[in-house]
Amino acid sequence: MRDDREAPRAGVPHGEGCSARELVLRDGKLTLWRYAPLAKPARAAPVLICYALVNRPWMMDLQPDRSLIRRLLERGLDLYLVDWGYPDGSDRFTDLDDYVNRQLDRCMQHVLEAHGLRSANLLGVCQGGTLSLCYAALHPERVRNLVTMVTPVDFHTPDNLLSLWARDLDVDTLVQAFGNVPGELLNLAFLSLMPFRLLHQKYVELADVAGDPAQLENFLRMEKWIFDSPDQAGAAFAQFIKWLFQQNRLATGSLELGGRTVELRRIVAPVLNVIGLRDHLVPPSASTPLKGLVGSRDYTLLEMDVGHIGMYVSGRSQTQLPEAIAAWLETRERTTPPPSARRRTRSKPSKRGSARKSTSATG
Amino acid sequence: MNSRAGTGQPGANPWDFDGLEALECWTQSIRDALAAATPPLPPLGPAREHQEAAARLQQLLAEYLQHQSTLARHWASVQQEASTMVQQQLTATTASGDPPPTPRALYDLWIDCAETAFGRVARSASYAGTQAAMVNAFAKLRIEQRRQLEVAARQFDLPTRAELDGIHARLDTLTKELRSLRQRLDAGSS
C-alpha cells in the first residue's frame, strides 16, 4: 500500500548480508533493496533478484568471500533484491497471486520506473525461481532475460523426496491448525531429508574446526541463516503445496493466478537455467524440464557440480557462476531485442534435453 | 520384551533394542487408557458438549500416537538396515587384512550407511504415507486443542485466534477491493 512507503536509507543492516545496500521501496513487509556498485557498470539492464519465501535472502550475501551478490556486483551488474520479510498473523490470507502479481510486480515496476526502462532482468532463486517463472509468464513484456537458479518446475519427478512427502499432506487442515505455517516446521522437513548428516554428523564435524575462529564463524553464520526461517503465509503455503507439489500445475499448464493461466510457453525471453547436480532439495530432474516448457528459443542450461547450499557458497560457485551469469546477460544485451521489440517466435514446447552445458540460443 | 540388546548373545542385533518396544508398550497403554476412559454411552446432560469435545480430543490423540508408533517402526528398520551394512563393511575390511577403522572413520561409516538406509525407507510410499498421516493427525489434534482453548477463552471474554482470523480475512478482502479501486482510478486518470 502506498501509505507504507519509507524513505530510502543506505548501509548494511547487522547480520543480514555483507554488502552495502539501500532501501528503495517498502510496502508492508516487502522491502526492495538496491546494492551499491562495486565496479564500472556492465552493459546490462538492472537485475531484480527474487529469492524464496522459505528462507532469508542473505545466503546470497553471507560474507565477503561467500557472496554471489558481491561477485555479481564486482562484474558491474546493477542489483536489486526482493526481501519478503517475516509474515505474521495478519498475512494469513496472503496468497500466491499477491506475491507474484502485486509484490513482485511492484518491485519490478519500481526498477523499471527508476531506470526509465520497459523491461529488466529477473533472477529467481529456488522457490523464488518458481515465482519468477510465474511472473515472467504473466508479464512477459517486463522481463528482458530470465535467470533461474536451483528452481523446481516439474514437481513430480521420481527423485523429488519433498514432493513425495507432500503428496498426502492435508495442507488445508495444516494451515487451519497453524494459520501461518511455522518456519521451524519447514526447517525440520528440510533437515529430515538427510537427518543423520544434517542433525548429527554436521555437529560432530564442528569439533574439527572448533580451534579455527574463522571457520567457526563461517559455521555459525551458516547456522544462523539455516534456522532464521520465516513463517509461511498460510494461504500462499497451501496453494504452493496443493497446486505445485501435489497437482504439478506449473508443468502441466493448469496453474492460475489472479484469474489468468500461467503458461510457461509465453516466456519468450532468453532463459538461463542453473542447476546443482548434487542438489537434494531441488533435484536436477525437477529443473531441467523447463527447456521443453518455455516458449523461448534462447535457452541455456548451466550445470554446476554442487549441492543446493553449495550453489550459494561453494568456492566453485563463487568463481564460475557470477562470471557465467554476467557474461550471459551481457551477451543477450548486445544480441537480443528487448521484449517490446520482440515477437513470439515459438508456440510449441521443444523436446526436453540436458547437456552438461547446453545452449539453444538463436539470438 | 526383547532384552537381547547388549547381552553379547550370538546373533543379537544391537539395534533390536528395548527402547522401541518400550515406546510401543507405552503408546499402547495410553491408547488402552483412552479407550477405557471413553464413555460407552453418548454424553447426556448440560455438560454433554464438553464431554463430547473431551472424547474427540482423546480420539485424535490416540490416532496421532498410532501413526507416531508406525513411523517409529520405520525408523527402527532404518537402524537395523544401517547396522547390517556397517557389519558387512567391517567384515569385508577385516577379511582383506586392512587395519580396523579409527573411531571417527567408524562413525562416518555409520552415518553413510544410515543415510543410505534412510534414503531407501524414506522413498517408500509406506513411509511417506505414514509421515503425512502423522502430520495430518497432529494438525487435527491441534485444531481440536485450540477449539477447546477458545471455549475457555470465551468464558473470560478473551479474544481468540478464530476472531482474529475473521478480522484479518475481512481486512484482506477490503485491501484487495481498495487496491482494485485504486487501479481503476489510476487507469481512468491516465
Side-chain angles (χ1 to χ4, degrees):
Chain A
M1 304 290 291
R2 292 173 199 172
D3 301 338
D4 293 335
R5 289 178 184 178
E6 282 189 4
R9 59 169 188 263
V12 184
H14 178 70
E16 297 186 333
C18 62
S19 302
R21 61 183 189 271
E22 178 187 26
L23 188 159
V24 293
L25 172 72
R26 174 157 286 171
D27 180 348
K29 297 185 180 65
L30 171 73
T31 307
L32 179 64
W33 301 96
R34 185 185 188 187
Y35 281 89
L38 290 177
K40 189 179 138 194
R43 292 186 58 185
V47 180
L48 177 63
I49 300 174
C50 174
Y51 196 76
L53 301 166
V54 296
N55 279 107
R56 301 290 290 145
W58 315 123
M59 178 54 94
M60 304 275 293
D61 189 33
L62 199 60
Q63 58 194 59
D65 61 339
R66 291 177 172 200
S67 167
L68 281 183
I69 282 179
R70 189 165 281 216
R71 301 289 88 76
L72 290 168
L73 290 169
E74 286 167 354
R75 281 154 184 83
L77 292 176
D78 191 352
L79 299 184
Y80 288 82
L81 175 73
V82 179
D83 176 356
W84 304 109
Y86 296 86
D88 62 23
S90 66
D91 301 297
R92 158 80 176 75
F93 299 96
T94 301
D95 57 13
L96 288 180
D97 174 38
D98 189 80
Y99 277 120
V100 172
N101 286 321
R102 192 182 71 78
Q103 299 194 39
L104 182 54
D105 187 52
R106 186 153 165 68
C107 292
M108 181 58 93
Q109 294 281 16
H110 180 94
V111 172
L112 299 183
E113 284 170 20
H115 293 264
L117 294 170
R118 297 171 74 175
S119 63
N121 299 313
L122 183 58
L123 193 164
V125 183
C126 189
Q127 183 195 29
T130 307
L131 301 180
S132 298
L133 284 170
C134 295
Y135 183 81
L138 293 169
H139 307 276
E141 72 284 359
R142 290 174 201 156
V143 180
R144 185 174 296 218
N145 299 289
L146 176 65
V147 182
T148 50
M149 274 175 61
V150 288
T151 293
V153 59
D154 183 346
F155 288 76
H156 278 188
T157 53
D159 55 349
N160 193 332
L161 189 53
L162 267 184
S163 173
L164 176 68
W165 285 359
R167 215 67 65 83
D168 292 327
L169 275 186
D170 180 354
V171 72
D172 287 329
T173 301
L174 191 69
V175 168
Q176 194 189 340
F178 285 96
N180 289 339
V181 175
E184 288 177 358
L185 192 68
L186 279 190
N187 234 330
L188 194 60
F190 295 143
L191 295 173
S192 297
L193 293 172
M194 295 171 71
F196 297 93
R197 285 200 205 294
L198 301 179
L199 291 166
H200 206 282
Q201 189 183 35
K202 189 177 86 170
Y203 299 102
V204 171
E205 287 176 345
L206 179 59
D208 296 340
V209 301
D212 183 337
Q215 285 204 56
L216 196 57
E217 279 183 21
N218 289 351
F219 184 94
L220 293 175
R221 212 173 274 123
M222 180 75 81
E223 194 76 347
K224 173 178 165 52
W225 175 81
I226 288 171
F227 293 104
D228 182 10
S229 308
D231 295 344
Q232 298 299 292
F237 179 83
Q239 290 173 342
F240 202 86
I241 296 293
K242 277 194 292 189
W243 293 350
L244 297 167
F245 275 104
Q246 294 178 347
Q247 298 166 5
N248 205 21
R249 289 191 185 185
L250 185 60
T252 56
S254 53
L255 178 64
E256 277 190 26
L257 293 181
R260 295 172 61 201
T261 304
V262 179
E263 298 175 88
L264 291 178
R265 65 188 172 86
R266 292 188 72 218
I267 300 176
V268 292
V271 175
L272 171 62
N273 189 17
V274 185
I275 65 170
L277 291 173
R278 287 183 279 133
D279 192 334
H280 74 288
L281 277 173
V282 182
S285 64
S287 291
T288 50
L290 183 61
K291 180 183 181 183
L293 296 170
V294 291
S296 175
R297 297 185 67 180
D298 183 354
Y299 171 90
T300 307
L301 177 70
L302 177 58
E303 294 178 330
M304 304 285 295
D305 188 17
V306 294
H308 195 81
I309 302 298
M311 186 63 81
Y312 311 114
V313 296
S314 73
R316 184 172 297 157
S317 281
Q318 294 296 310
T319 55
Q320 296 176 7
L321 186 54
E323 186 62 48
I325 291 174
W328 185 86
L329 286 174
E330 285 190 285
T331 302
R332 268 70 198 169
E333 195 71 25
R334 284 197 307 272
T335 60
T336 309
S340 53
R342 196 184 294 150
R343 293 183 60 199
R344 215 168 87 187
T345 50
R346 195 177 62 167
S347 58
K348 277 187 163 182
S350 68
K351 282 174 67 177
R352 296 181 182 183
S354 62
R356 181 152 291 277
K357 181 175 181 181
S358 69
T359 176
S360 56
T362 55
Chain B
M1 298 286 284
N2 184 334
S3 56
R4 286 176 301 165
T7 60
Q9 291 177 17
N13 186 332
W15 293 108
D16 194 11
F17 59 100
D18 292 348
L20 180 63
E21 291 189 19
L23 176 66
E24 286 196 13
C25 285
W26 179 69
T27 54
Q28 185 59 48
S29 67
I30 291 178
R31 283 199 294 273
D32 292 345
L34 291 174
T38 306
L41 287 173
L44 303 167
R48 70 171 306 284
E49 296 302 312
H50 298 291
Q51 287 179 36
E52 267 194 350
R56 212 162 41 234
L57 196 61
Q58 288 172 357
Q59 176 65 30
L60 290 170
L61 178 60
E63 284 174 20
Y64 170 66
L65 289 171
Q66 174 70 48
H67 294 305
Q68 194 184 46
S69 171
T70 309
L71 199 68
R73 278 201 289 275
H74 281 292
W75 276 94
S77 76
V78 168
Q79 290 176 325
Q80 283 174 344
E81 189 178 337
S83 170
T84 304
M85 290 166 68
V86 170
Q87 285 174 14
Q88 286 170 347
Q89 297 217 21
L90 288 178
T91 305
T93 303
T94 309
S96 65
D98 290 340
T102 62
R104 180 57 185 275
L106 189 60
Y107 170 76
D108 288 341
L109 174 64
W110 156 247
I111 293 289
D112 289 344
C113 293
E115 285 293 356
T116 304
F118 176 73
R120 267 200 284 273
V121 171
R123 281 177 168 73
S124 68
S126 170
Y127 181 91
T130 303
Q131 184 171 254
M134 189 186 76
V135 174
N136 294 342
F138 179 67
K140 286 178 190 165
L141 176 63
R142 194 179 148 95
I143 289 170
E144 187 57 39
Q145 285 173 330
R146 197 176 63 201
R147 188 177 291 141
Q148 298 200 22
L149 280 174
E150 293 197 349
V151 168
R154 275 197 294 274
Q155 310 279 336
F156 294 93
D157 197 25
L158 293 172
T160 64
R161 167 51 61 186
E163 289 171 351
L164 262 181
D165 279 351
I167 293 168
H168 287 145
R170 204 174 301 174
L171 195 61
D172 186 68
T173 305
L174 287 172
T175 305
K176 283 173 179 160
E177 284 177 5
L178 181 62
R179 194 177 303 133
S180 170
L181 285 171
R182 273 183 176 163
Q183 282 171 348
R184 272 195 262 169
L185 272 177
D186 289 348
S189 64
S190 62

